[in-house]
Amino acid sequence: MSFDDTLVADTITSLAALFGLLIVISVVGGRDDGLSRRFLFGLRVLAVLLACRILDWTTGLALFRFVTIAAAGLLPLAALLLTEGLLRRHAPFALKFFAASGALLFLLLALIPESLAEPWRMAMLLAFQFGGFVAIGWLVMTRDRDSLSAAENRTVERMALSLLLILPFMVTDYRPGLFEVPVRLGGIAILFLCWLTIGLGRASLGHRDTIGAFAVIALSSVFAGLALGGIDDLGWRGSVQGVVIVLSATLLAVIYNDSVSLTAEKRRDSLLKHMAEGDLTDSARFLRGLQHHILVDGALILPAADLGDFDLKVLARALEQAPVRSLADVQPDAPVDEDIREQLAWLFEKYEATHVLLATLDPLAVVALNMPALASSPGVEMELRAVQRMAMLIAQREAVT
């Protein structure tokens, strides 16, 4: 089968979208709840559609054309099922009937040979999908926000953002004989949906951050595609295809990188895990648990008896002001008293420590630990403060009882 430039661009974009879907499926597949199962169903329908569409283009076999049309007809129903789960309420019966009957109709229409069915079948499919997604968008916009949590509303809004691309880009995917475009853009909308889905695992990322990042990626891809088109004199069609190929490849790379980061965060042996699983019945045992933690190097618990070389009053005053001290507190420009700086510097040097935690104030006990600079980060520093606070609370509870 011969490949023209349009088919090559369509295939590359669809392959990128398919790989993006497989990445998201691997991430969502580990969750066992009703909403995740509904989402997985929709993702798998999309993956089957893309895979069979690529095989249809490359082999020309009627079987793959049949599965492609049947899967495309199933998309509004899959999206509606997901929307019901997100909104935690049933959609109107008329909309359910529309989505289900449409899926059945296109399952039957997919049996008609292409020579007899086109372009009216593609036009009907486009109208059906467009109408279904508009109705779903209406459900999302008119939802009862007060009945959903902040996280649920955030998830629904992320899905709504993807509709902003899916609806206009959908038109370019079917080409019902009324127009011609250099490349199908549905794959870009799917990749954006995948990126938004991966981003749901990062609560710190807001909608503005996501839109801003996508704008930067899109503008960079436009610049790269136009530059390539200018260098090779590809014309406007080739330049548009270059932009879309670069954008799809960039989005796929970002999706993969974000999925790896998300998986690493789940596996990360953080200090918060020590707080959740450590022995909370005794402050000494809780602190000794740090000695085997991967982020610190042999944490030393130093009671007052082991601190005979130090001025305990000055050391107690230093740690009472800031229960967690680091090497940054002994730098010349650090805003600390000179006697405190001298005591801390000697403590860090003697025990080859990078951080010191206040364990108990009366009697004084400290924890000295070594955390390599490359392993340290603002998040880890905050976790260290939380561990110290937990140790103090355990010690205070022991003193009361």
Side-chain angles (χ1 to χ4, degrees), residues 257-272:
N257 182 68
D258 285 357
S259 70
V260 170
S261 299
L262 188 62
T263 304
E265 287 177 10
K266 293 178 180 178
R267 291 198 308 257
R268 187 167 68 92
D269 192 12
S270 69
L271 292 171
L272 293 179

Side-chain angles (χ1 to χ4, degrees), residues 1-3 6-15 49-61 64-65 68 114 172-175 183-184 187:
M1 184 176 180
S2 62
F3 283 75
T6 301
L7 185 56
V8 170
D10 287 344
T11 302
I12 293 174
T13 305
S14 296
L15 275 174
L49 187 154
L50 288 175
C52 289
R53 187 164 71 174
I54 294 169
L55 291 171
D56 174 39
W57 293 338
T58 54
T59 67
L61 295 178
F64 297 126
R65 181 70 171 177
T68 300
E114 183 176 358
T172 67
D173 263 28
Y174 295 104
R175 298 172 177 160
V183 60
R184 290 175 170 88

Side-chain angles (χ1 to χ4, degrees), residues 75-76 79 98 128-138 163 166-167 170:
L75 279 180
F98 171 77
F128 170 64
Q129 287 196 345
F130 195 85
F133 283 120
V134 167
I136 290 170
W138 174 79
L163 283 177
I166 289 174
L167 288 178
M170 182 195 307

